[in-house]
Amino acid sequence: MYLNITKENYQTEVVESDKPVLLDFWATWCGPCRMIAPTVEEIAEERSDIKVGKVNVDEQAELAAAFGIVSIPTLVVLKNGKVINQLVGVRPKEDILRML
């Protein structure tokens, strides 16, 4: 299961997480975002050792700006609140798993 990440729960769910966090920056109007969503959800179901969150860039423009998101979908991996990896665009599941 994945979490809906907002600026209100970001500190608790991402920065203070004891697990690495995979964030999916997306928007409802974004076709490629809809293409990658099932893969991200599959990873969320399969991997209990990580946390998966989705950030709607239209609703959370402040968070998107803080990460310098210019293209979506963008996947970001954070550990201890710090960005350790990032991918832009639709990628196969193997690429996403490799960045964890």
Side-chain angles (χ1 to χ4, degrees):
M1 197 188 105
Y2 63 85
L3 303 156
N4 189 28
I5 301 297
T6 64
K7 64 181 192 217
E8 288 78 23
N9 70 4
Y10 177 79
Q11 181 69 31
T12 313
E13 296 293 352
V14 179
V15 179
E16 296 170 8
S17 174
D18 55 348
K19 300 175 179 179
V21 181
L22 171 64
L23 290 181
D24 176 14
F25 288 86
W26 71 287
T28 52
W29 48 264
C30 166
C33 297
R34 286 196 299 273
M35 287 169 57
I36 203 170
T39 306
V40 172
E41 288 164 21
E42 208 172 275
I43 292 168
E45 293 295 319
E46 293 170 357
R47 298 282 302 264
S48 58
D49 60 322
I50 61 165
K51 217 183 241 193
V52 178
K54 292 179 80 91
V55 181
N56 184 320
V57 296
D58 291 333
E59 294 170 5
Q60 301 298 322
E62 217 174 285
L63 266 182
F67 279 88
I69 303 298
V70 287
S71 299
I72 52 173
T74 294
L75 299 174
V76 178
V77 178
L78 296 102
K79 201 171 194 170
N80 303 320
K82 306 221 180 325
V83 175
I84 58 165
N85 228 325
Q86 190 166 330
L87 275 179
V88 178
V90 177
R91 299 294 180 91
K93 185 175 178 182
E94 297 72 45
D95 287 4
I96 299 168
L97 290 173
R98 244 192 314 274
M99 67 184 266
L100 300 167

